[in-house]
Amino acid sequence: SDKSWGECLSVAVEVARRAGKVVQEAVKHEKSVSSKSTPTDLVTETDQQVEELIISTLRERFPSHRYIGEESSAAGEKCILTDNPTWIIDPIDGTCNFVHSFPMVAVSIGFAVKKELEFGVIYHCFDGTLYTARKGHGAFCNGARIQVSKEKDVSKALILTEIGAKRDPATLNIFSGNIMKLLSAPAHGVRIIGSSTLALCLIATGAAEAYYQFGLHCWDIAAAAVIIREAGGVVIDTSGGPLDLMSRRVVAAGTLEMANYIVQNLESISYERDDSD
Ligand code: IPD
């Protein structure tokens, strides 16, 4: 029932704070780093420990729910969204930042039922900022209502993106071509902060006008999509169609006009879907 998702949200907030504090403490110590899909797709022991902490805590409370986690997926678990209540978890978003102690690192917990996103919680591990939203109930930063920017004109926009793990010359050409096109629009600026979820939270608070990325994962967008939508923004596919959580691509913006401008000016980079086998 609607009531029980509210209870799930409270538990999510509690767990995100606890996990975030573990990450904050771990930043001070030496990290054991390895790579996953590519040499720049990083993982540390802390990613795995924190995911285990989050999932075991939630599973104890909600044993019948399903769990999709970044590190469980890396370990071979299938990443498939069913109609069952499903938690979608990134224990450390911004692992590369974490490794360098660059202060943009977050815990992200999203929750979907019948393939619809119901709520999202994102905890900024360095400054303790908490972003939350529940479908139909608004979006909040540390408990205060947040709102997207209403700007429609790209020449007044600050645009955020992320690089993604593929670094072959063809991919990098498209990547920089997309940035050059937006810079010559001319957008006010383009920023890359190293955490998809925190970049998306900055769209939700109106600190930037648009975000796009190829190569992110469902756990990078699940929680943030609810937060942006509840802050009045749009989250769509880079084709202009509805968001597909598993498609590894997204455009988010404060207004549909801004989102459509980005859509029309992007060249695609293809990544294997999260739910492919
Ligand atoms: C990654 C970061 C990075 C983005 C990647 C994400 P992770 O998440 O958000 O900035 O470019 O697409 O997967 O691996 O640090 O959780």
Side-chain angles (χ1 to χ4, degrees), residues 250-266:
V250 70
V251 170
T255 61
L256 190 56
E257 291 85 350
M258 189 68 71
N260 283 335
Y261 183 91
I262 305 289
V263 162
Q264 281 151 23
N265 285 278
L266 286 183

Side-chain angles (χ1 to χ4, degrees), residues 36 40-43 47 70-71 90-97 106 161-165 167 192-198 211 213-217 219-220 248 271:
K36 296 187 286 187
T40 54
D41 183 10
L42 305 182
V43 62
D47 293 72
E70 176 168 28
E71 307 318 329
D90 194 342
I92 303 185
D93 179 54
T95 301
C96 180
N97 285 347
T161 188
E162 286 296 323
I163 302 168
R167 303 293 168 84
I192 300 173
I193 65 169
S195 159
S196 303
T197 62
L198 290 178
Y211 179 86
Q213 193 192 345
F214 297 99
L216 77 179
H217 294 277
W219 45 82
D220 296 317
R248 313 270 317 262
Y271 277 87

Side-chain angles (χ1 to χ4, degrees), residues 5 8 64-68 80-89 109-120 135 218 222-223 226 229 245-246:
W5 307 149
C8 292
S64 68
H65 292 180
R66 293 176 58 96
Y67 296 87
I68 293 175
I80 289 166
L81 196 57
T82 68
D83 281 346
N84 296 337
T86 303
W87 297 78
I88 306 169
I89 297 151
I109 303 180
F111 183 75
V113 181
K114 297 196 167 67
K115 303 188 179 77
E116 290 270 327
L117 293 165
E118 290 291 335
F119 65 74
K135 199 168 88 188
C218 57
V226 189
R229 285 173 179 154
L245 259 188
M246 300 296 169

